[in-house]
Amino acid sequence: MDYLFNSCPEIEEIKEDLQNNRLDSAAEKTQQFVNKQNNVPLNIGITGESGSGKSTFVNAFRGITNSDEGAAPTGVVETTSEVTPYPHPNYPNVTLWDLPGIGTTRFPADKYLKLVEFEKFDFFIIISETRFRENDVKLAQEIQKMGKKFYFVRSKIDNDVRSEKRSQREFNEETTLAQIRENCIKGLQKQDFETSQVFLVSSFDLHLYDFRLLEETLERELPEHKRNALLFAVPGVSMEIINKKKEALQSQIKYYALLSAGVGAVPVPGVSLVADIAIIVGVVTKYVFAFGLDIPSLKRLAQTTGVPYEDLINVIISPLAATTITTDLIIKVLQSLGSTAALIAAEEGCRFIPVLGIPLAMGLSFTSTYRILSAFLDMLANDAHRVFKKALGLNTSV
């Protein structure tokens, strides 16, 4: 197993710090190693004609409301006059760029892509509140020529559904949505643009309509190394998204366990635990953010759904949610996991065994870290299920 770590400079630096009893430095570098895994950049361009709901979509995608600090400004007139980045509050490597409306005086259609610096975006979302117009089609054609992905999103669907419900004696939501989708597709076809997919989205109710389908499509068509960046940043607005987040996080645990085992190879009794705890603190913090179980995210969820914050907190069982993940908290929770605590103690005991002690300690370090992170991930995923169901007024049993 050791060859896996000799090729990793970060591990070697951590080993050196531990061997020289620089425990604070070792813990800090271990945390930096964990954080580095979350820094794959993803840049999403949100564009369309002025007033189409771009800024509200940017805010909703980032899990914040229009009134939150750092929100993209919204209004009944064009509020975006320049290319403006809006990093995700929990994943700053994911940035949504609120682009000025195409066809405005400052951003004419024929020069639009050059002016917004087309090259830096991974893909574009083209938004319209009614039907897609000539400028939207021109933009899609230019993006297509340059070999990048784009997606048509028909916004403000909640307004259309409410209007139809009031005006029709026998209202059927599925029929209304199908008609809106078909009308958008036919409108694009009339402008000589062939597409079979338009996503219907309400930025105020992402759990409804086509947002989950949009997320699935984006994830499927992104390069593999960018998929998790999108998945972790997107709001957990469906059970499917929550489960996919858990699956992706579970697949990463072996790497953190290997990191733990590599540090466990250092023949200094007691200090491996310092690095292990630093790894666990960083990874569990990532879990909390991915599932939206941090306090700011829960408060925003309460605000957008109308479910009191206290009611959301009351369905949480794990001590790891709705709090700050600290070393003391992790140690306290570990003490309640008897079998895992025994593994950690056995790891330290192995160090005193001649010749075979260090390899045994490495194996036990891998096993204990893997079990701990798996158990904590299960706890938080179950809490995310309960919170999601409570927010939607569903049965909160998992």
Side-chain angles (χ1 to χ4, degrees):
M1 185 184 289
D2 195 52
Y3 74 92
L4 293 172
F5 304 101
N6 289 338
S7 62
C8 178
E10 291 94 335
I11 296 294
E12 293 306 314
E13 290 181 13
I14 292 168
K15 284 183 182 180
E16 183 181 351
D17 281 342
L18 290 172
Q19 288 167 338
N20 290 282
N21 206 31
R22 297 193 293 265
L23 304 187
D24 290 343
S25 177
E28 182 181 354
K29 286 177 181 175
T30 305
Q31 185 73 66
Q32 290 171 352
F33 181 89
V34 171
N35 291 339
K36 183 180 178 181
Q37 312 310 306
N38 304 327
N39 289 331
V40 175
L42 183 64
N43 292 288
I44 306 170
I46 311 297
T47 186
E49 291 195 333
S50 60
S52 60
K54 301 187 304 295
S55 297
T56 299
F57 181 86
V58 166
N59 295 334
F61 195 102
R62 295 160 65 225
I64 66 176
T65 67
N66 291 341
S67 60
D68 284 336
E69 183 178 354
T74 60
V76 295
V77 297
E78 175 65 22
T79 56
T80 307
S81 59
E82 58 186 24
V83 178
T84 309
Y86 290 97
H88 191 282
N90 294 334
Y91 296 94
N93 55 305
V94 178
T95 303
L96 278 80
W97 296 78
D98 193 0
L99 307 181
I102 184 172
T104 59
T105 304
R106 290 183 59 192
F107 291 85
D110 59 341
K111 299 180 180 178
Y112 187 81
L113 288 177
K114 181 178 180 180
L115 291 172
V116 301
E117 299 180 21
F118 165 88
E119 296 81 8
K120 66 185 171 191
F121 301 107
D122 290 287
F123 60 86
F124 291 83
I125 293 176
I126 304 172
I127 297 182
S128 175
E129 67 169 327
T130 52
R131 60 183 177 84
F132 294 94
R133 305 178 188 277
E134 181 182 359
N135 283 337
D136 299 317
V137 172
K138 286 181 179 178
L139 177 59
Q141 290 170 335
E142 290 303 312
I143 295 172
Q144 201 170 48
K145 287 178 185 176
M146 296 184 182
K148 291 203 175 183
K149 295 286 187 179
F150 60 90
Y151 306 89
F152 289 112
V153 168
R154 170 65 159 76
S155 64
K156 305 182 183 181
I157 292 299
D158 51 325
N159 292 342
D160 296 282
V161 169
R162 278 195 299 269
S163 296
E164 288 296 306
K165 192 171 184 178
R166 289 171 183 167
S167 63
Q168 294 183 16
R169 180 174 297 176
E170 296 182 2
F171 170 75
N172 183 286
E173 184 172 296
E174 288 187 9
T175 301
T176 297
L177 295 175
Q179 289 173 343
I180 295 172
R181 188 179 290 107
E182 183 180 3
N183 182 58
C184 288
I185 291 173
K186 285 184 176 178
L188 289 166
Q189 291 172 344
K190 286 180 180 178
Q191 299 180 70
D192 297 322
F193 193 90
E194 291 296 325
T195 185
S196 60
Q197 199 163 39
V198 171
F199 299 94
L200 311 184
V201 172
S202 165
S203 294
F204 295 111
D205 297 295
L206 288 182
H207 62 285
L208 301 176
Y209 317 120
D210 290 345
F211 183 79
R212 181 170 64 85
L213 180 60
L214 173 63
E215 183 278 330
E216 289 175 354
T217 305
L218 297 177
E219 185 185 348
R220 183 175 61 250
E221 297 187 357
L222 273 172
E224 186 174 356
H225 70 289
K226 300 250 183 183
R227 291 173 189 167
N228 281 352
L230 173 77
L231 179 59
F232 296 148
V234 76
V237 296
S238 72
M239 285 296 191
E240 291 83 357
I241 290 177
I242 293 171
N243 290 336
K244 283 197 297 183
K245 288 187 179 192
K246 180 183 178 183
E247 183 180 345
L249 293 167
Q250 182 71 48
S251 71
Q252 295 178 349
I253 289 179
K254 58 181 176 289
Y255 301 114
Y256 298 115
L258 284 170
L259 171 61
S260 172
V263 176
V266 178
V268 182
V271 298
S272 176
L273 182 60
V274 175
D276 286 349
I277 295 297
I279 293 170
I280 294 167
V281 167
V283 177
V284 173
T285 299
K286 178 180 177 179
Y287 294 171
V288 170
F289 285 143
F291 290 126
L293 294 173
D294 55 298
I295 292 174
S297 293
L298 288 168
K299 287 184 175 179
R300 287 192 290 267
L301 179 62
Q303 183 179 355
T304 55
T305 61
V307 177
Y309 172 74
E310 292 74 16
D311 290 356
L312 299 179
I313 292 295
N314 286 340
V315 300
I316 290 174
I317 295 177
S318 164
L320 301 170
T323 188
T324 301
I325 305 301
T326 63
T327 298
D328 289 342
L329 175 62
I330 292 297
I331 291 173
K332 182 179 178 180
V333 179
L334 284 177
Q335 289 171 344
S336 67
L337 303 176
S339 60
T340 303
L343 276 175
I344 295 172
E347 176 192 343
E348 291 304 313
C350 284
R351 297 182 187 284
F352 297 96
I353 301 175
V355 184
L356 296 178
I358 294 303
L360 285 172
M362 290 176 68
L364 289 171
S365 182
F366 179 95
T367 302
S368 60
T369 300
Y370 194 97
R371 288 186 180 179
I372 289 166
L373 291 178
S374 294
F376 289 173
L377 179 59
D378 286 342
M379 291 180 188
L380 290 166
N382 288 339
D383 277 339
H385 285 149
R386 281 185 283 267
V387 167
F388 173 77
K389 290 181 176 181
K390 186 65 177 180
L392 296 187
L394 304 176
N395 185 336
T396 55
S397 62
V398 175

